[in-house]
Amino acid sequence: MRRVIDMRSDTVTKPTDTMRTAMANAEVDDDVLGNDPTALRLETEMARIMGKEAALFVPSGTMGNLISVLVHCDIRGSEVILGDNSHIHIYENGGISTLGGVHPKTVKNNEDGTMDLDSIEAAIRDPKGALVYPITRLICLENSHGNTGGRCLSVEYIDRVGDLAKKHGLKLHIDGARIFNAATALGVPVDRLVQAADSVSVCLSKGLGAPVGTVIVGSMSFITKAKILRKTLGGGMRQVGVICAAALVAVKENVKKLEDDHKNAKLLAVGLNNIQGLHVDIAAVETNIDLLFRGVILLYKVYVKICKDSSTNAAKLCKKLEEHGILVMQENDYNIFPYNYVKHLKTKVLQDEDRDPPSNNNKGCGIYSVMHSESCYWCIERACCVSP
């Protein structure tokens, strides 16, 4: 059987045998009625891990963020301050506005995913202007920050944003889709990392590899309101313990594997940086996402921009890579992103003796050396794969 390297997303994982067994044997009941024992066990465990009073399982990260924003901004016309390059603002279908009547006030994200504290404070509306302005009620952060290459917000930074929120009577929500990646990279316990937050959404189906689901955590009163909104949005599920069982396995078994994911990302970055005409900011590779520059060309997650004067384009390159068993996503005519190169559930975790970075072999990029695949070096210029 031909080997396929699937780099479309870290959401394309397959449940492990342990997850499948747990799902088949899960003890279940009606979770809408609050009686599913496996869901309750997952929620209790996640609340404990994150250092919050309570937790709630929801179908997706987008719903988790939406519910969190709507709980905090429970009056239509409220305003949330968030990054201009954040997932909530760009990739969640404008749900906070469409469904909640919440107005986004964007602040520029820096290259490290942060927003300047002075800029955040300047964006907070003066309550005296409530006759004409929306009322600021919430600040949202994202950690790790996807669109800046998986950069991690430090605990010191989050604490300062939390202090700023409290100073102005605001709430703080963290989009923690990859919060365990951030905690692992920073060497900080995850509960300490989110201590200043009033709510956190934690995705279990990305880096942790569960098939479905996100957990949101916060105070007991927050979760009580969140449960009502989950039902309103169609997220109330019945015998959801079947899914939660796999999530429990993911939390128990896969958090400890994230460090290897990060090492593999660094290995990929070093190997790509050895290729003539390519440059990677090695120091910026903090988690499982890489930023690579080829002249003015950006590869992100690894995100590849193809020169417009090249003999190929994104569609042709995607097709050629697929022919050689490498799946990537096409963004437009000149952008592709092979996102999930270093996911531990889909790639062989390299042993120490295998960790020598690939060398610059003419125009080859060294995917053969890193992945131990039978297909080959990925030649950027020729847009094809050739045996080494």
Coordinates of all heavy atoms in Angstrom, one line a residue, residues 313-358:
N313 N 2.1 26.7 -10.8 CA 1.3 27.5 -9.9 C 0.8 26.5 -8.8 O 1.1 25.3 -8.8 CB 0.1 28.1 -10.7 CG -0.8 27.1 -11.4 OD1 -0.9 25.9 -11.0 ND2 -1.3 27.4 -12.6
A314 N 0.0 27.0 -7.9 CA -0.4 26.2 -6.8 C -1.2 25.0 -7.2 O -1.0 23.9 -6.6 CB -1.2 27.1 -5.8
A315 N -2.1 25.1 -8.1 CA -2.9 23.9 -8.6 C -2.1 22.8 -9.1 O -2.2 21.7 -8.8 CB -4.0 24.4 -9.6
K316 N -1.1 23.2 -10.0 CA -0.2 22.2 -10.6 C 0.7 21.6 -9.6 O 0.9 20.4 -9.6 CB 0.6 22.9 -11.7 CG -0.1 23.4 -12.9 CD 0.8 24.0 -13.9 CE 0.1 24.5 -15.1 NZ 1.0 25.3 -16.1
L317 N 1.2 22.4 -8.6 CA 2.1 21.9 -7.6 C 1.3 20.9 -6.7 O 1.8 19.9 -6.3 CB 2.7 23.0 -6.8 CG 3.7 22.6 -5.7 CD1 4.8 21.8 -6.3 CD2 4.3 23.9 -5.1
C318 N 0.1 21.3 -6.3 CA -0.7 20.4 -5.5 C -1.0 19.1 -6.1 O -0.9 18.0 -5.5 CB -2.1 21.1 -5.1 SG -2.0 22.4 -3.9
K319 N -1.3 19.1 -7.4 CA -1.5 17.9 -8.2 C -0.3 17.0 -8.3 O -0.3 15.8 -8.1 CB -2.0 18.2 -9.6 CG -2.4 17.0 -10.4 CD -3.0 17.4 -11.7 CE -3.3 16.1 -12.5 NZ -3.9 16.5 -13.9
K320 N 0.9 17.7 -8.5 CA 2.1 17.0 -8.6 C 2.5 16.3 -7.3 O 2.9 15.2 -7.3 CB 3.2 17.9 -9.1 CG 4.6 17.2 -9.2 CD 4.6 16.1 -10.3 CE 4.5 16.7 -11.7 NZ 4.7 15.6 -12.7
L321 N 2.3 17.1 -6.2 CA 2.6 16.5 -4.9 C 1.7 15.3 -4.6 O 2.1 14.3 -4.0 CB 2.5 17.6 -3.8 CG 3.6 18.7 -3.9 CD1 3.2 19.8 -2.9 CD2 5.0 18.1 -3.5
E322 N 0.4 15.5 -4.9 CA -0.5 14.4 -4.7 C -0.2 13.1 -5.4 O -0.3 12.0 -4.9 CB -2.0 14.9 -5.0 CG -3.0 13.8 -4.7 CD -4.4 14.3 -5.0 OE1 -4.6 15.5 -5.4 OE2 -5.4 13.6 -4.7
E323 N 0.4 13.3 -6.6 CA 0.8 12.1 -7.4 C 1.9 11.4 -6.7 O 2.1 10.2 -6.9 CB 1.3 12.6 -8.8 CG 0.2 13.1 -9.7 CD 0.7 13.6 -11.0 OE1 2.0 13.6 -11.2 OE2 -0.1 14.1 -11.8
H324 N 2.6 12.1 -5.8 CA 3.7 11.5 -5.1 C 3.4 11.2 -3.6 O 4.2 11.0 -2.8 CB 5.0 12.3 -5.2 CG 5.6 12.4 -6.5 ND1 6.5 11.4 -7.0 CD2 5.4 13.2 -7.6 CE1 6.9 11.7 -8.2 NE2 6.2 12.8 -8.6
G325 N 2.0 11.2 -3.3 CA 1.6 10.9 -2.0 C 1.7 11.9 -1.0 O 1.7 11.6 0.2
I326 N 1.8 13.2 -1.4 CA 1.9 14.3 -0.4 C 0.7 15.2 -0.6 O 0.5 15.8 -1.7 CB 3.2 15.1 -0.6 CG1 4.5 14.2 -0.4 CG2 3.3 16.3 0.4 CD1 5.8 14.8 -0.7
L327 N -0.1 15.3 0.4 CA -1.3 16.1 0.4 C -1.1 17.4 1.0 O -0.7 17.5 2.2 CB -2.5 15.3 1.0 CG -2.8 13.9 0.5 CD1 -4.0 13.4 1.3 CD2 -3.0 13.9 -1.0
V328 N -1.5 18.5 0.3 CA -1.4 19.9 0.9 C -2.7 20.6 0.5 O -3.5 20.1 -0.3 CB -0.2 20.6 0.3 CG1 1.1 20.0 0.8 CG2 -0.2 20.8 -1.2
M329 N -2.9 21.8 1.0 CA -4.1 22.6 0.7 C -3.7 23.8 -0.2 O -2.7 24.4 0.0 CB -4.7 23.1 2.0 CG -5.3 21.9 2.8 SD -6.0 22.5 4.4 CE -7.4 23.5 3.8
Q330 N -4.6 24.1 -1.1 CA -4.4 25.2 -2.0 C -5.2 26.4 -1.5 O -6.4 26.2 -1.2 CB -4.8 24.9 -3.4 CG -4.7 26.1 -4.4 CD -5.2 25.8 -5.8 OE1 -5.4 24.6 -6.1 NE2 -5.4 26.8 -6.6
E331 N -4.5 27.5 -1.3 CA -5.3 28.7 -0.8 C -5.7 29.6 -2.0 O -6.9 30.0 -2.0 CB -4.4 29.6 0.1 CG -5.1 30.8 0.7 CD -4.2 31.7 1.5 OE1 -3.1 32.0 1.0 OE2 -4.6 32.0 2.6
N332 N -4.8 29.8 -3.0 CA -5.2 30.5 -4.2 C -4.2 30.1 -5.3 O -3.6 29.1 -5.1 CB -5.2 32.0 -4.0 CG -3.9 32.5 -3.4 OD1 -2.8 32.1 -3.8 ND2 -3.9 33.5 -2.5
D333 N -4.1 30.8 -6.4 CA -3.3 30.4 -7.5 C -1.8 30.3 -7.1 O -1.1 29.5 -7.8 CB -3.4 31.4 -8.6 CG -4.7 31.3 -9.4 OD1 -5.5 30.3 -9.1 OD2 -5.1 32.2 -10.1
Y334 N -1.3 31.0 -6.1 CA 0.1 31.0 -5.8 C 0.4 30.6 -4.4 O 1.6 30.6 -4.0 CB 0.7 32.4 -6.1 CG 0.7 32.7 -7.6 CD1 -0.3 33.4 -8.2 CD2 1.7 32.2 -8.4 CE1 -0.4 33.7 -9.5 CE2 1.7 32.4 -9.8 CZ 0.6 33.2 -10.3 OH 0.6 33.4 -11.7
N335 N -0.6 30.2 -3.6 CA -0.3 29.8 -2.2 C -0.8 28.4 -1.9 O -1.9 28.0 -2.3 CB -1.1 30.7 -1.3 CG -0.5 32.1 -1.3 OD1 0.5 32.4 -1.9 ND2 -1.2 33.0 -0.6
I336 N 0.1 27.6 -1.3 CA -0.4 26.3 -0.8 C 0.2 26.3 0.7 O 1.1 27.0 1.1 CB 0.2 25.1 -1.6 CG1 1.7 25.0 -1.5 CG2 -0.3 25.2 -3.0 CD1 2.3 23.8 -2.0
F337 N -0.5 25.4 1.5 CA 0.1 25.2 2.8 C 0.0 23.7 3.2 O -1.0 23.2 3.5 CB -0.4 26.1 3.9 CG -1.8 26.5 3.9 CD1 -2.6 26.2 5.0 CD2 -2.4 27.2 2.9 CE1 -3.9 26.6 5.0 CE2 -3.7 27.6 2.9 CZ -4.5 27.3 4.0
P338 N 1.2 23.1 3.2 CA 1.4 21.8 3.8 C 1.5 22.0 5.3 O 2.6 22.1 5.8 CB 2.7 21.2 3.2 CG 3.5 22.4 2.8 CD 2.5 23.5 2.5
Y339 N 0.4 22.0 6.0 CA 0.3 22.5 7.3 C 0.8 21.6 8.4 O 1.5 22.0 9.3 CB -1.2 22.7 7.6 CG -1.6 23.3 8.9 CD1 -2.2 24.6 8.9 CD2 -1.5 22.6 10.1 CE1 -2.6 25.1 10.1 CE2 -1.9 23.1 11.3 CZ -2.5 24.4 11.3 OH -2.9 24.9 12.5
N340 N 0.5 20.3 8.2 CA 0.7 19.4 9.4 C 1.9 18.5 9.2 O 1.8 17.3 9.5 CB -0.6 18.6 9.6 CG -0.6 18.0 10.9 OD1 -0.2 18.6 11.9 ND2 -1.1 16.8 11.0
Y341 N 3.0 19.0 8.8 CA 4.2 18.2 8.6 C 4.6 17.4 9.8 O 5.2 16.3 9.7 CB 5.3 19.1 8.0 CG 6.5 18.3 7.5 CD1 6.5 17.9 6.2 CD2 7.5 18.1 8.4 CE1 7.6 17.2 5.7 CE2 8.6 17.4 7.9 CZ 8.6 17.0 6.6 OH 9.7 16.3 6.1
V342 N 4.5 18.0 11.0 CA 5.1 17.4 12.1 C 4.1 16.9 13.2 O 4.4 16.8 14.3 CB 6.0 18.5 12.8 CG1 7.2 18.8 11.9 CG2 5.2 19.8 13.1
K343 N 3.0 16.4 12.7 CA 2.0 15.9 13.6 C 2.4 14.5 14.1 O 2.6 13.6 13.3 CB 0.6 15.9 13.0 CG -0.5 15.4 13.9 CD -0.8 16.4 15.0 CE -1.5 15.7 16.1 NZ -0.7 14.8 16.9
H344 N 2.4 14.3 15.4 CA 2.9 13.0 15.9 C 2.1 11.8 15.6 O 2.6 10.7 15.5 CB 3.1 13.1 17.4 CG 1.9 13.3 18.2 ND1 1.5 14.6 18.6 CD2 0.9 12.5 18.6 CE1 0.3 14.5 19.3 NE2 0.0 13.2 19.3
L345 N 0.8 12.0 15.3 CA -0.1 10.9 15.0 C -0.1 10.5 13.6 O -0.6 9.5 13.2 CB -1.5 11.3 15.4 CG -1.8 11.5 16.9 CD1 -3.2 11.8 17.2 CD2 -1.4 10.2 17.7
K346 N 0.6 11.3 12.8 CA 0.7 10.9 11.3 C 2.1 10.7 10.8 O 2.3 10.3 9.7 CB 0.0 12.0 10.5 CG -1.5 12.1 10.8 CD -2.1 12.9 9.7 CE -1.7 14.3 9.7 NZ -1.9 15.0 11.0
T347 N 3.1 11.1 11.6 CA 4.5 10.9 11.1 C 5.2 10.1 12.2 O 4.9 10.1 13.3 CB 5.2 12.2 10.9 OG1 5.3 12.9 12.2 CG2 4.4 13.1 10.0
K348 N 6.3 9.4 11.7 CA 7.1 8.7 12.5 C 7.9 9.6 13.4 O 8.5 10.6 13.0 CB 8.1 7.9 11.7 CG 9.1 7.1 12.5 CD 10.1 6.4 11.5 CE 11.1 5.5 12.2 NZ 12.1 6.4 12.9
V349 N 7.8 9.4 14.8 CA 8.6 10.2 15.7 C 10.1 9.9 15.5 O 10.5 8.7 15.6 CB 8.2 10.0 17.1 CG1 9.1 10.8 18.0 CG2 6.7 10.4 17.3
L350 N 10.9 10.8 15.1 CA 12.3 10.5 14.7 C 13.1 10.2 16.0 O 13.0 10.8 17.0 CB 12.9 11.7 14.0 CG 12.2 12.2 12.8 CD1 12.9 13.4 12.2 CD2 12.0 11.1 11.8
Q351 N 13.9 9.2 15.9 CA 14.8 8.8 17.0 C 16.0 9.8 16.9 O 16.3 10.5 15.9 CB 15.3 7.4 16.8 CG 14.2 6.4 16.7 CD 13.3 6.4 18.0 OE1 13.8 6.5 19.1 NE2 12.0 6.3 17.8
D352 N 16.7 9.9 18.0 CA 17.8 10.9 18.1 C 18.8 10.7 17.0 O 19.3 11.7 16.5 CB 18.5 10.8 19.5 CG 17.6 11.3 20.6 OD1 16.7 12.0 20.3 OD2 17.9 10.9 21.8
E353 N 19.1 9.4 16.7 CA 20.1 9.2 15.7 C 19.6 9.6 14.3 O 20.4 9.7 13.3 CB 20.5 7.7 15.6 CG 19.4 6.7 15.3 CD 18.7 6.2 16.6 OE1 18.8 6.9 17.7 OE2 18.1 5.2 16.6
D354 N 18.3 9.8 14.1 CA 17.7 10.2 12.8 C 17.6 11.7 12.7 O 17.1 12.2 11.7 CB 16.3 9.6 12.6 CG 16.3 8.1 12.6 OD1 17.3 7.6 12.1 OD2 15.4 7.5 13.1
R355 N 18.0 12.5 13.7 CA 17.7 13.9 13.7 C 18.7 14.8 13.0 O 18.5 16.0 13.1 CB 17.5 14.4 15.2 CG 16.3 13.8 15.8 CD 16.0 14.4 17.2 NE 14.9 13.9 17.8 CZ 13.6 14.2 17.5 NH1 13.4 15.2 16.6 NH2 12.6 13.7 18.1
D356 N 19.6 14.3 12.3 CA 20.5 15.1 11.5 C 19.7 15.8 10.5 O 19.0 15.2 9.7 CB 21.6 14.3 10.9 CG 22.6 13.8 11.9 OD1 22.7 14.4 13.0 OD2 23.2 12.8 11.6
P357 N 19.7 17.2 10.4 CA 18.9 17.9 9.4 C 19.4 17.6 8.0 O 20.6 17.3 7.7 CB 19.2 19.4 9.7 CG 20.5 19.4 10.5 CD 20.6 18.1 11.2
P358 N 18.5 17.5 7.0 CA 18.8 17.2 5.6 C 19.7 18.3 5.1 O 19.6 19.5 5.4 CB 17.5 17.2 4.9 CG 16.6 18.0 5.8 CD 17.0 17.8 7.2

